[in-house]
Amino acid sequence: MSDASAALAAFGFELGVLKRVRRTGWWQVGVRDPESVAEHTMRAAQLAALIAAEEGASPERASFLALWHDTQETRTGDLPHTAAPYLAKPDPRAITEDQTEALPGASQAVVRDAVDEYEDRESPESRCAKDADKLEMLLQALEYRDLGASSVDEWLASAQQGLYTRTARDLAAAALELTPLSWRTR
């Protein structure tokens, strides 16, 4: 077994942690079994592709950036916004650098470049990916509200602030007018 293969396998195991890390902010509104970071990431990546397609950006790139946007949470967990006054926000780039230190050059570069691009918010794809992250939270808040979590207004407001794209703003407005199960009647 090569060192490169061992490093890739180890990183693969680390990424698996995202399936077990829960989105902790939802516990504060009474959700007993909140989604995992991996579940959030999957829908965010799918939404990023759709937003990018409508905005004339690369759906593949936007989706790829969204796939890497929360991978640092294998090391930090999902920190709720209520922790902000007590903790300095971890630097995603520094964590990604540590996470990928042992990876072979091409794999290391692809992950680090994706995180850098997402964090810079300069490319259309990175802005679509960030919008998708927020919209995924908005959709999840509406779904949890439908299941009985009554204090999601803060999440709904936060998700709508600072959206970059017209598509994301329109999608947010439409979602707020629908019910989570309305997709079955469309």
Side-chain angles (χ1 to χ4, degrees):
M1 168 176 49
S2 72
D3 288 345
S5 295
L8 288 167
F11 191 50
F13 284 126
E14 180 173 349
L15 293 172
V17 170
L18 296 172
K19 296 191 293 183
R20 296 184 298 280
V21 173
R22 297 291 166 194
R23 304 261 296 165
T24 58
W26 297 120
W27 281 321
Q28 295 172 344
V29 295
V31 176
R32 297 187 110 188
D33 186 25
E35 66 177 337
S36 70
V37 172
E39 290 167 319
H40 160 74
T41 298
M42 184 193 82
R43 182 160 58 177
Q46 292 168 326
L47 289 169
L50 297 174
I51 294 165
E54 294 302 318
E55 291 291 318
S58 167
E60 297 85 359
R61 185 68 183 168
S63 184
F64 186 74
L65 298 179
L67 280 174
W68 296 101
H69 86 280
D70 277 339
T71 54
Q72 304 80 18
E73 292 180 11
T74 63
R75 304 272 173 111
T76 65
D78 179 52
L79 300 172
H81 291 289
T82 55
Y86 311 104
L87 301 170
K89 184 181 187 298
D91 177 9
R93 292 177 179 145
I95 296 168
T96 300
E97 192 171 310
D98 287 344
Q99 286 177 310
T100 60
E101 185 63 35
L103 293 181
S107 294
Q108 183 184 84
V110 77
V111 174
R112 289 179 179 182
D113 290 349
V115 171
D116 282 343
E117 184 177 345
Y118 178 82
E119 293 298 326
D120 286 342
R121 307 277 196 284
E122 292 178 4
S123 70
E125 292 79 10
S126 66
R127 291 188 293 274
C128 290
K130 181 59 179 175
D131 280 357
D133 177 37
K134 290 180 150 224
L135 288 171
E136 198 290 324
M137 180 177 65
L138 181 136
L139 295 174
Q140 190 64 68
L142 292 170
E143 290 167 349
Y144 285 148
R145 183 176 71 184
D146 200 51
L147 293 173
S150 60
S151 302
V152 300
D153 291 345
E154 167 186 349
W155 277 262
L156 296 173
S158 173
Q160 295 173 77
Q161 292 174 349
L163 292 172
Y164 291 96
T165 65
R166 176 200 47 79
T167 301
R169 289 187 295 276
D170 290 350
L171 196 158
L176 290 166
E177 292 180 19
L178 297 172
T179 63
L181 293 179
S182 63
W183 63 269
R184 296 184 337 175
T185 61
R186 292 220 165 278

